[in-house]
Amino acid sequence: SQQGEEDPQALSIQEGENATMNCSYKTSINNLQWYRQNSGRGLVHLILIRSNEREKHSGRLRVTLDTSKKSSSLLITASRAADTASYFCATDEGNAGKSTFGDGTTLTVKP
Amino acid sequence: DTAVSQTPKYLVTQMGNDKSIKCEQNLGHDTMYWYKQDSKKFLKIMFSYNNKELIINETVPNRFSPKSPDKAHLNLHINSLELGDSAVYFCASSRDSLFYGYTFGSGTRLTVV
């Protein structure tokens, strides 16, 4: 079964708007990561948030983590057409060094 | 200067053939992985190696055999290819101490016909 479930599955917005994606998971984690995948390309690591952190920023990205609700959100502010991609969360449960990926959210930013 | 490089990028082959995908990382990372991404973009770990030793072997058919000749290389050999093996295979690497996430290769799109 999937550890991470992402919501929504697909999101379409206009350039300049903010995009919010959510990730829920089932078990305790060491950290949670967010990745971007452009069509036909590999995944690119965006940000990692550890279980003792609540919020992290990187440029236009803001990630929150609520371990009591077992959920995380990724906010992309002032979106650009170049942000069009699939976004995945991945959870590291601390067992044997593997992370489990969510199903992904497909973001389309219209110019 | 590619951090994680895998070859080939595309692989089209007939059922029953044997094929290999190669992966190399120049980041000095200790652990390397193979992930499979299906047509619905679902990513699932297949194997991971730490300093040439197998540490994760998920429920993958015996037809898939990883080989790590050294810390910087992790190859994937697939015997007797089946239609269901068609997918995108990603190599990735990570450091051991204070995990910062994975660095992925650009993927190998395998199509079995």
Side-chain angles (χ1 to χ4, degrees), chain B residues 70-113:
Chain B
D70 56 59
K71 196 171 97 163
H73 295 84
L74 180 60
N75 303 323
L76 183 64
H77 188 76
I78 315 170
N79 289 327
S80 304
L81 278 154
E82 300 176 357
L83 292 176
D85 297 331
S86 296
V88 182
Y89 292 85
F90 286 101
C91 178
S93 70
S94 69
R95 51 185 287 186
D96 275 358
S97 57
L98 203 58
F99 178 70
Y100 280 113
Y102 301 104
T103 303
F104 279 87
S106 56
T108 296
R109 181 173 293 277
L110 171 65
T111 304
V112 182
V113 297

Side-chain angles (χ1 to χ4, degrees), chain A residues 2 31 33 35 37 40-45 48 50 86 88 92 95-103 106, chain B residues 9 31 33 35 37 40-43 45 48 55-56 58 90 98-107 109:
Chain A
Q2 275 293 81
N31 64 69
Q33 310 133 54
Y35 293 83
Q37 184 179 31
R41 309 290 292 272
L43 283 80
V44 174
H45 178 246
L48 179 150
R50 302 195 187 277
S86 292
F88 294 87
D92 176 1
N95 52 344
K98 71 173 183 178
S99 291
T100 305
F101 282 78
D103 295 333
T106 300
Chain B
K9 190 170 175 63
T31 306
Y33 310 79
Y35 273 85
Q37 187 173 44
K40 294 183 180 178
K41 294 190 177 178
F42 174 47
L43 267 160
I45 191 166
S48 77
I55 56 172
I56 292 175
E58 293 293 292
F90 286 101
L98 203 58
F99 178 70
Y100 280 113
Y102 301 104
T103 303
F104 279 87
S106 56
R109 181 173 293 277

Side-chain angles (χ1 to χ4, degrees), chain B residues 57-70:
Chain B
N57 183 349
E58 293 293 292
T59 50
V60 178
N62 291 340
R63 299 181 294 104
F64 290 79
S65 52
K67 283 196 178 139
S68 182
D70 56 59

Side-chain angles (χ1 to χ4, degrees), chain B residues 3 11 69:
Chain B
L11 190 50

